[in-house]
Amino acid sequence: MSYTPVIPMGGYAGWKFLNRTMEKQQAAFTASAQIQRNEDYFRDKIGSVTTAAELVADRRLLSVALGAFGLDDDINNRYFIRKVLDEGSLDGDALANKLADKRYLALTKAFGFGDFSTPRTVLSDFPDEIVAQYVERQFEIAVGEADSSMRLALSLRRDLPELATQGSSEKTKWFTIIGSNAMSTVFRTALGLPESVSSLDVDQKLEIYRSRTQQVFGSSDPGQFAQPDRIEELIKTYLLRAELGGGAAVSSQSIALQLLGASAGLGLSILL
Protein backbone atom coordinates (compact mmCIF):
# COMPACT_ATOMS: atom_id res chain seq x y z
CA MET A 1 0.00 0.00 0.00
CA SER A 2 1.36 3.42 -0.94
CA TYR A 3 1.22 6.59 1.11
CA THR A 4 -0.78 9.52 -0.25
CA PRO A 5 0.71 12.94 0.64
CA VAL A 6 -1.59 15.23 2.60
CA ILE A 7 -2.16 18.66 1.05
CA PRO A 8 -5.26 20.17 2.70
CA MET A 9 -5.26 23.37 0.67
CA GLY A 10 -3.95 24.71 -2.61
CA GLY A 11 -1.81 27.70 -3.51
CA TYR A 12 1.02 29.14 -1.47
CA ALA A 13 -0.66 28.27 1.84
CA GLY A 14 -0.68 24.63 0.76
CA TRP A 15 2.98 24.90 -0.24
CA LYS A 16 3.93 26.19 3.19
CA PHE A 17 2.00 23.35 4.84
CA LEU A 18 3.73 20.80 2.61
CA ASN A 19 7.13 22.20 3.53
CA ARG A 20 6.35 22.20 7.27
CA THR A 21 5.35 18.55 7.10
CA MET A 22 7.76 17.46 4.34
CA GLU A 23 10.14 15.41 6.47
CA LYS A 24 7.39 13.35 8.09
CA GLN A 25 5.45 12.92 4.87
CA GLN A 26 8.52 11.83 2.91
CA ALA A 27 9.41 9.34 5.65
CA ALA A 28 5.91 7.87 5.56
CA PHE A 29 6.01 7.67 1.77
CA THR A 30 9.43 5.99 1.77
CA ALA A 31 8.22 3.43 4.33
CA SER A 32 5.19 2.45 2.25
CA ALA A 33 5.12 -1.16 1.07
CA GLN A 34 5.31 -0.44 -2.66
CA ILE A 35 8.34 1.85 -2.39
CA GLN A 36 10.09 -0.56 -0.01
CA ARG A 37 9.58 -3.51 -2.35
CA ASN A 38 11.02 -1.59 -5.29
CA GLU A 39 13.92 -0.27 -3.22
CA ASP A 40 14.81 -3.70 -1.81
CA TYR A 41 14.68 -5.32 -5.23
CA PHE A 42 16.91 -2.67 -6.78
CA ARG A 43 19.47 -2.88 -3.99
CA ASP A 44 19.54 -6.68 -4.21
CA LYS A 45 19.89 -6.95 -8.01
CA ILE A 46 21.61 -3.89 -9.46
CA GLY A 47 25.16 -4.87 -8.43
CA SER A 48 25.06 -7.88 -10.76
CA VAL A 49 23.93 -5.83 -13.78
CA THR A 50 26.89 -4.93 -15.99
CA THR A 51 25.26 -4.14 -19.36
CA ALA A 52 22.43 -1.98 -20.64
CA ALA A 53 20.82 -5.09 -22.13
CA GLU A 54 20.60 -6.69 -18.69
CA LEU A 55 19.04 -3.58 -17.19
CA VAL A 56 16.32 -3.11 -19.81
CA ALA A 57 15.51 -6.83 -19.67
CA ASP A 58 14.46 -6.50 -16.03
CA ARG A 59 11.34 -4.34 -15.92
CA ARG A 60 11.42 -3.85 -12.14
CA LEU A 61 15.02 -2.64 -12.19
CA LEU A 62 14.33 -0.46 -15.20
CA SER A 63 11.30 1.14 -13.53
CA VAL A 64 13.46 2.30 -10.61
CA ALA A 65 16.28 3.43 -12.92
CA LEU A 66 13.95 5.49 -15.10
CA GLY A 67 11.93 6.71 -12.12
CA ALA A 68 15.10 8.15 -10.57
CA PHE A 69 15.37 10.55 -13.52
CA GLY A 70 11.71 11.33 -14.09
CA LEU A 71 11.56 9.09 -17.16
CA ASP A 72 8.84 6.74 -15.89
CA ASP A 73 6.83 7.05 -19.11
CA ASP A 74 9.67 5.47 -21.10
CA ILE A 75 9.31 2.08 -19.40
CA ASN A 76 8.10 0.48 -22.66
CA ASN A 77 10.71 2.20 -24.87
CA ARG A 78 13.34 -0.41 -24.10
CA TYR A 79 15.19 -0.26 -27.43
CA PHE A 80 15.52 3.54 -27.19
CA ILE A 81 16.68 3.44 -23.55
CA ARG A 82 19.21 0.71 -24.32
CA LYS A 83 20.62 2.81 -27.16
CA VAL A 84 20.95 5.83 -24.87
CA LEU A 85 22.72 3.72 -22.25
CA ASP A 86 24.96 1.82 -24.66
CA GLU A 87 26.23 4.97 -26.39
CA GLY A 88 27.05 6.71 -23.11
CA SER A 89 28.01 10.37 -22.85
CA LEU A 90 31.69 10.72 -23.75
CA ASP A 91 31.23 10.71 -27.53
CA GLY A 92 29.84 14.02 -28.78
CA ASP A 93 27.75 12.11 -31.31
CA ALA A 94 26.17 9.88 -28.66
CA LEU A 95 22.38 9.95 -28.70
CA ALA A 96 22.10 11.39 -25.19
CA ASN A 97 24.19 14.40 -26.24
CA LYS A 98 21.89 15.11 -29.17
CA LEU A 99 18.63 14.98 -27.23
CA ALA A 100 17.19 18.26 -25.96
CA ASP A 101 15.91 16.52 -22.84
CA LYS A 102 19.02 16.27 -20.66
CA ARG A 103 17.45 13.71 -18.33
CA TYR A 104 18.68 11.04 -20.73
CA LEU A 105 22.21 12.39 -20.49
CA ALA A 106 22.02 12.30 -16.70
CA LEU A 107 20.72 8.72 -16.88
CA THR A 108 23.53 7.39 -19.06
CA LYS A 109 26.19 9.25 -17.05
CA ALA A 110 24.85 7.77 -13.83
CA PHE A 111 24.98 4.16 -15.03
CA GLY A 112 28.14 4.43 -17.13
CA PHE A 113 27.50 1.44 -19.41
CA GLY A 114 28.73 3.26 -22.50
CA ASP A 115 31.48 5.26 -20.81
CA PHE A 116 33.49 2.77 -18.76
CA SER A 117 34.66 -0.83 -19.10
CA THR A 118 33.18 -1.38 -15.64
CA PRO A 119 29.85 0.40 -15.12
CA ARG A 120 28.98 2.38 -12.01
CA THR A 121 26.36 -0.23 -11.04
CA VAL A 122 29.07 -2.20 -9.22
CA LEU A 123 30.00 0.69 -6.91
CA SER A 124 28.99 0.14 -3.29
CA ASP A 125 27.23 3.49 -2.97
CA PHE A 126 25.45 3.31 -6.35
CA PRO A 127 22.19 1.82 -4.99
CA ASP A 128 21.97 4.62 -2.38
CA GLU A 129 22.45 7.27 -5.08
CA ILE A 130 19.74 5.95 -7.41
CA VAL A 131 17.27 4.96 -4.70
CA ALA A 132 17.44 8.43 -3.14
CA GLN A 133 16.64 10.03 -6.49
CA TYR A 134 13.91 7.48 -7.17
CA VAL A 135 12.15 8.08 -3.85
CA GLU A 136 12.35 11.85 -4.29
CA ARG A 137 10.86 11.73 -7.77
CA GLN A 138 8.14 9.26 -6.79
CA PHE A 139 7.16 11.47 -3.87
CA GLU A 140 6.82 14.38 -6.31
CA ILE A 141 4.56 12.26 -8.52
CA ALA A 142 2.41 11.37 -5.50
CA VAL A 143 2.20 15.05 -4.55
CA GLY A 144 1.21 15.84 -8.13
CA GLU A 145 -1.74 13.46 -7.93
CA ALA A 146 -3.10 15.69 -5.17
CA ASP A 147 -1.97 19.03 -6.66
CA SER A 148 -0.13 19.29 -9.97
CA SER A 149 1.14 22.80 -9.19
CA MET A 150 2.89 21.52 -6.06
CA ARG A 151 4.67 18.86 -8.11
CA LEU A 152 5.96 21.48 -10.53
CA ALA A 153 7.13 23.63 -7.62
CA LEU A 154 9.03 20.71 -6.06
CA SER A 155 10.58 19.86 -9.42
CA LEU A 156 11.64 23.47 -9.93
CA ARG A 157 13.22 23.70 -6.48
CA ARG A 158 15.24 20.57 -7.25
CA ASP A 159 16.39 21.40 -10.77
CA LEU A 160 16.62 25.19 -11.10
CA PRO A 161 19.39 25.87 -8.52
CA GLU A 162 21.66 23.36 -10.27
CA LEU A 163 21.03 25.04 -13.60
CA ALA A 164 21.46 28.50 -12.09
CA THR A 165 24.95 27.71 -10.80
CA GLN A 166 26.26 26.24 -14.05
CA GLY A 167 29.01 28.09 -15.87
CA SER A 168 26.97 28.33 -19.08
CA SER A 169 25.78 31.65 -20.48
CA GLU A 170 22.52 33.33 -19.51
CA LYS A 171 21.16 32.56 -22.96
CA THR A 172 22.01 28.87 -22.69
CA LYS A 173 20.31 28.67 -19.30
CA TRP A 174 17.18 30.22 -20.75
CA PHE A 175 17.13 27.73 -23.60
CA THR A 176 17.29 24.94 -21.01
CA ILE A 177 14.39 26.48 -19.06
CA ILE A 178 12.31 26.95 -22.20
CA GLY A 179 13.07 23.38 -23.28
CA SER A 180 11.87 21.93 -19.98
CA ASN A 181 8.10 21.54 -19.81
CA ALA A 182 8.07 21.80 -16.01
CA MET A 183 10.34 24.85 -15.68
CA SER A 184 8.84 26.70 -18.63
CA THR A 185 5.33 26.20 -17.22
CA VAL A 186 6.34 27.62 -13.84
CA PHE A 187 8.08 30.62 -15.38
CA ARG A 188 5.30 31.31 -17.89
CA THR A 189 2.69 31.29 -15.12
CA ALA A 190 4.79 33.28 -12.65
CA LEU A 191 5.56 35.89 -15.31
CA GLY A 192 1.87 36.27 -16.15
CA LEU A 193 2.35 35.21 -19.76
CA PRO A 194 -0.50 33.70 -21.79
CA GLU A 195 -0.28 30.06 -22.83
CA SER A 196 -0.06 31.16 -26.47
CA VAL A 197 3.56 32.18 -25.82
CA SER A 198 4.42 28.47 -25.82
CA SER A 199 3.75 28.27 -29.55
CA LEU A 200 6.19 31.03 -30.47
CA ASP A 201 9.62 30.60 -32.01
CA VAL A 202 12.24 29.75 -29.37
CA ASP A 203 14.18 32.99 -29.96
CA GLN A 204 11.00 35.01 -29.54
CA LYS A 205 10.18 33.16 -26.33
CA LEU A 206 13.71 33.82 -25.10
CA GLU A 207 13.35 37.58 -25.45
CA ILE A 208 9.90 37.63 -23.83
CA TYR A 209 10.95 35.47 -20.89
CA ARG A 210 14.07 37.54 -20.30
CA SER A 211 12.20 40.84 -20.54
CA ARG A 212 9.40 39.78 -18.20
CA THR A 213 11.82 38.25 -15.69
CA GLN A 214 13.70 41.57 -15.60
CA GLN A 215 10.41 43.38 -14.92
CA VAL A 216 9.09 40.97 -12.28
CA PHE A 217 12.28 39.90 -10.47
CA GLY A 218 14.67 42.77 -11.18
CA SER A 219 17.13 40.73 -13.25
CA SER A 220 16.90 38.65 -16.41
CA ASP A 221 19.68 36.29 -15.31
CA PRO A 222 18.48 32.80 -14.24
CA GLY A 223 21.60 32.69 -12.07
CA GLN A 224 19.71 34.72 -9.45
CA PHE A 225 17.66 31.61 -8.64
CA ALA A 226 20.67 29.91 -7.13
CA GLN A 227 19.68 31.87 -4.00
CA PRO A 228 17.03 30.12 -1.83
CA ASP A 229 15.10 33.35 -1.20
CA ARG A 230 14.90 34.11 -4.92
CA ILE A 231 13.65 30.68 -5.89
CA GLU A 232 11.12 30.82 -3.07
CA GLU A 233 9.89 34.15 -4.43
CA LEU A 234 9.53 32.56 -7.86
CA ILE A 235 7.59 29.62 -6.45
CA LYS A 236 5.34 31.89 -4.40
CA THR A 237 4.56 34.04 -7.43
CA TYR A 238 3.88 30.93 -9.52
CA LEU A 239 1.55 29.33 -6.98
CA LEU A 240 -0.40 32.53 -6.36
CA ARG A 241 -0.95 33.02 -10.08
CA ALA A 242 -1.71 29.33 -10.65
CA GLU A 243 -4.35 29.46 -7.92
CA LEU A 244 -6.02 32.31 -9.79
CA GLY A 245 -6.09 30.26 -12.97
CA GLY A 246 -2.92 31.63 -14.50
CA GLY A 247 -3.80 35.29 -14.07
CA ALA A 248 -1.93 36.44 -17.17
CA ALA A 249 -0.94 40.02 -16.46
CA VAL A 250 0.55 40.73 -19.86
CA SER A 251 -1.89 41.92 -22.48
CA SER A 252 -1.85 40.75 -26.10
CA GLN A 253 -0.77 44.26 -27.10
CA SER A 254 2.18 44.11 -24.70
CA ILE A 255 3.20 40.71 -26.07
CA ALA A 256 3.01 42.09 -29.59
CA LEU A 257 5.26 45.02 -28.69
CA GLN A 258 7.78 42.68 -27.08
CA LEU A 259 7.72 40.48 -30.18
CA LEU A 260 8.38 43.47 -32.38
CA GLY A 261 11.34 44.40 -30.22
CA ALA A 262 12.63 40.85 -30.29
CA SER A 263 12.20 40.57 -34.06
CA ALA A 264 14.09 43.79 -34.62
CA GLY A 265 17.02 42.49 -32.62
CA LEU A 266 16.97 39.10 -34.32
CA GLY A 267 16.30 40.27 -37.84
CA LEU A 268 12.98 38.45 -37.96
CA SER A 269 9.73 39.37 -39.64
CA ILE A 270 6.55 38.81 -37.63
CA LEU A 271 3.03 39.06 -38.97
CA LEU A 272 0.60 40.31 -36.31
Side-chain angles (χ1 to χ4, degrees), residues 24-239:
K24 290 184 178 179
Q25 294 215 52
Q26 283 182 324
F29 179 79
T30 302
S32 64
Q34 180 180 340
I35 294 297
Q36 281 299 303
R37 283 195 300 268
N38 291 342
E39 178 180 337
D40 291 344
Y41 186 84
F42 188 85
R43 290 185 184 280
D44 184 52
K45 301 290 186 181
I46 194 60
S48 63
V49 173
T50 58
T51 68
E54 290 173 345
L55 178 63
V56 300
D58 189 320
R59 189 178 180 88
R60 288 185 68 184
L61 283 180
L62 185 61
S63 67
V64 174
L66 295 177
F69 295 89
L71 296 169
D72 307 72
D73 292 340
D74 277 330
I75 188 65
N76 293 318
N77 298 331
R78 291 187 297 174
Y79 176 80
F80 171 73
I81 293 300
R82 179 177 173 179
K83 185 173 177 62
V84 167
L85 291 169
D86 275 335
E87 293 188 8
S89 65
L90 300 182
D91 187 339
D93 290 328
L95 179 58
N97 287 318
K98 295 179 178 179
L99 296 170
D101 190 337
K102 295 310 175 185
R103 292 177 298 175
Y104 296 103
L105 183 60
L107 171 70
T108 195
K109 282 183 175 181
F111 281 81
F113 293 122
D115 294 338
F116 312 109
S117 57
T118 302
R120 297 187 68 247
T121 52
V122 303
L123 299 177
S124 60
D125 60 348
F126 183 74
D128 291 337
E129 174 187 333
I130 300 301
V131 164
Q133 293 179 201
Y134 169 73
V135 172
E136 180 181 19
R137 294 269 191 170
Q138 297 310 299
F139 181 74
E140 289 176 12
I141 291 174
V143 167
E145 291 174 354
D147 190 312
S148 60
S149 296
M150 298 290 177
R151 178 183 178 181
L152 290 179
L154 286 172
S155 174
L156 183 86
R157 189 168 65 182
R158 183 192 63 246
D159 294 336
L160 186 55
E162 181 180 352
L163 173 64
T165 56
Q166 288 180 0
S168 54
S169 68
E170 178 182 326
K171 188 173 182 179
T172 298
K173 290 175 183 176
W174 272 118
F175 282 139
T176 301
I177 291 170
I178 292 170
S180 164
N181 182 60
M183 285 196 282
S184 63
T185 298
V186 171
F187 270 91
R188 177 174 55 76
T189 304
L191 298 175
L193 297 172
E195 191 171 352
S196 57
V197 168
S198 301
S199 63
L200 297 175
D201 174 88
V202 65
D203 289 316
Q204 297 170 355
K205 284 191 283 189
L206 171 65
E207 293 305 315
I208 290 173
Y209 274 64
R210 289 174 71 173
S211 175
R212 282 294 295 163
T213 301
Q214 176 71 46
Q215 294 173 22
V216 176
F217 296 103
S219 170
S220 65
D221 187 359
Q224 66 182 296
F225 298 109
Q227 302 299 321
D229 61 327
R230 300 299 284 161
I231 197 167
E232 185 65 18
E233 182 182 354
L234 172 60
I235 289 173
K236 180 179 181 179
T237 305
Y238 160 66
L239 289 172

